[in-house]
Amino acid sequence: MALAAARRLLLHAGSRLGRREAVDGARRFANKRVLVETEGPAGVAVMKLRNPPVNSLSLECLTEFTISLEKLENDKSIRGVILTSECPGIFSAGLDLLEMYGRNPAHYAEYWKNVQELWLRLYTSNMILVSAINGASPAGGCLLALCCDYRVMADNPKYTIGLNESLLGIVAPFWFKDMYVNTIGHREAERALQLGTLFPPAEALKVGVVDELVPEDKVHSKARSVMAKWLAIPDHSRQLTKNMMRKATADNLIKQREADIQNFTSFISKDSIQKSLHMYLEKLKQKKG
Ligand SMILES: CCCCCCC/C=C/C(=O)SCCNC(=O)CCNC(=O)[C@H](O)C(C)(C)COP(=O)(O)OP(=O)(O)OC[C@H]1O[C@@H](n2cnc3c(N)ncnc32)[C@H](O)[C@@H]1OP(=O)(O)O
């Protein structure tokens, strides 16, 4: 309930801000955790995640992200979105572990519903989505990138990308898996999912998790030039083709959303899974020394 009210408020506040800043030609609207800048005639928006320190996808962040996408979808002048991060060295640390640890079943259900919603909106977007991966991108971070039509990654060996859920003692849901299989093929996905592989850039390129590597300072300009190429294709044929390629995967979740929420809630509530998450969080803390 509270979240729905927040959503209405954000939509309203966002549109007021959007109108005010349109005066300069370049428009922008911002929620606390997502900044969107649109650049006039080209019809391209740049969406920057800014939920420091690691752009974890908290419930608030997911909500703001989904609302921002909804607004862009409703703006017929926008044809493409570049998805990137404002947090140095991190694209997104994925789902917020603190939303999945030490909470109650109702919270887990609410959180998962919002994860599903963002995924469905991103994955089935009619807009061209290009990710400019400028940092680490584990699990849910990789998921965001996989939803895009094209992935440009900074060629910095410190950054890794992949679905590493098994390392946390949890299991990537079937729709994460489906998208991984669609992107890198069954054999590679099977291996990478079991091992929880976090690919450094060169390996991510080789296996097909990303489409292109560029020096870090060129990620944004490359994403723009990729976008220009995709914008040259007529929207209607590109959109119908995208829909044809993705519909079955999206429908697979749509037809069992409620069961998937229940499955997540009972899985994540298990003592053994909570214990695994606790240990992983402790490991993250200890890493700092
Ligand atoms: C049937 C269904 C089953 C369940 C399916 C669930 C699917 C789950 C999907 C996910 O996305 S789970 C999340 C997976 N993410 C990770 O494994 C990433 C963990 N984080 C890191 O590896 C590192 O933090 C980093 C992203 C590489 C950044 O490293 P850096 O050294 O720059 O920062 P840190 O000191 O490690 O972290 C700072 C701060 O942030 C906290 N944090 C990190 N990641 C998360 C996260 N995903 N959620 C919440 N909080 C996170 C970290 O603990 C530090 O906190 P403080 O110690 O400062 O309090």
Side-chain angles (χ1 to χ4, degrees):
M1 272 314 233
L3 213 71
R7 196 182 166 114
R8 277 195 303 277
L9 263 174
L10 279 168
L11 266 170
H12 181 59
S15 61
R16 271 191 294 138
L17 186 57
R19 266 205 305 275
R20 197 171 64 229
E21 298 195 5
V23 177
D24 312 339
R27 288 169 295 154
R28 48 194 265 143
F29 59 85
N31 300 315
K32 198 168 164 209
R33 297 163 189 87
V34 180
L35 171 69
V36 178
E37 293 169 319
T38 61
E39 291 164 10
V44 176
V46 178
M47 193 175 219
K48 291 181 182 164
L49 287 179
R50 50 173 188 185
N51 190 23
V54 292
N55 277 339
S56 62
L57 300 170
S58 63
L59 188 52
E60 288 77 10
C61 186
L62 285 175
T63 308
E64 292 183 10
F65 197 155
T66 305
I67 288 169
S68 300
L69 265 177
E70 196 176 336
K71 287 177 63 170
L72 291 170
E73 291 280 3
N74 290 338
D75 180 344
K76 293 301 161 220
S77 70
I78 299 298
R79 299 175 59 208
V81 177
I82 294 174
L83 178 61
T84 193
S85 157
E86 227 182 44
C87 292
I90 316 281
F91 180 67
S92 164
L95 302 191
D96 194 316
L97 295 163
L98 302 178
E99 302 282 6
M100 301 187 285
Y101 174 71
R103 309 288 195 117
N104 62 41
H107 182 85
Y108 298 140
E110 174 69 3
Y111 183 60
W112 201 245
K113 187 171 163 220
N114 280 272
V115 176
Q116 289 180 339
E117 195 168 334
L118 175 62
W119 180 74
L120 284 169
R121 194 166 275 282
L122 261 184
Y123 191 64
T124 64
S125 174
N126 268 329
M127 299 182 292
I128 303 158
L129 303 181
V130 175
S131 47
I133 307 164
N134 50 351
S137 196
C142 176
L143 188 82
L144 299 181
L146 290 172
C147 286
C148 293
D149 300 294
Y150 198 89
R151 288 165 283 285
V152 178
M153 185 175 186
D155 194 4
N156 181 336
K158 282 193 197 142
Y159 303 159
T160 57
I161 183 166
L163 296 181
N164 64 328
E165 281 82 353
S166 65
L167 299 182
L168 283 71
I170 55 179
V171 181
F174 71 87
W175 37 287
F176 286 41
K177 176 269 294 175
D178 287 347
M179 197 169 48
Y180 221 21
V181 169
N182 294 348
T183 309
I184 65 176
H186 198 280
R187 175 63 192 127
E188 288 296 354
E190 184 180 330
R191 184 164 43 195
L193 281 169
Q194 287 189 59
L195 295 173
T197 311
L198 285 168
F199 297 100
E203 285 176 41
L205 178 67
K206 197 165 154 206
V207 83
V209 176
V210 299
D211 297 302
E212 196 162 349
L213 303 181
V214 291
E216 196 148 2
D217 61 342
K218 299 276 187 300
V219 174
H220 197 71
S221 57
K222 174 50 78 174
R224 283 194 170 287
S225 63
V226 167
M227 182 62 83
K229 186 172 160 191
W230 284 65
L231 284 167
I233 309 299
D235 274 339
H236 69 280
S237 52
R238 185 194 52 73
Q239 286 166 354
L240 286 169
T241 308
K242 181 171 178 175
N243 181 265
M244 176 177 71
M245 298 300 293
R246 296 189 171 199
K247 190 173 184 308
T249 300
D251 283 352
N252 210 12
L253 174 62
I254 290 168
K255 68 178 185 232
Q256 45 187 325
R257 273 186 85 164
E258 202 43 54
D260 183 58
I261 291 173
Q262 279 170 26
N263 185 42
F264 171 78
T265 302
S266 68
F267 177 84
I268 213 76
S269 302
K270 284 184 182 80
D271 286 347
S272 59
I273 299 302
Q274 286 291 304
K275 206 167 151 195
S276 295
L277 289 178
H278 176 75
M279 280 161 56
Y280 190 74
L281 281 162
E282 284 301 307
K283 230 166 46 188
L284 282 178
K285 269 200 197 121
Q286 280 162 17
K287 193 186 71 172
K288 282 181 158 172

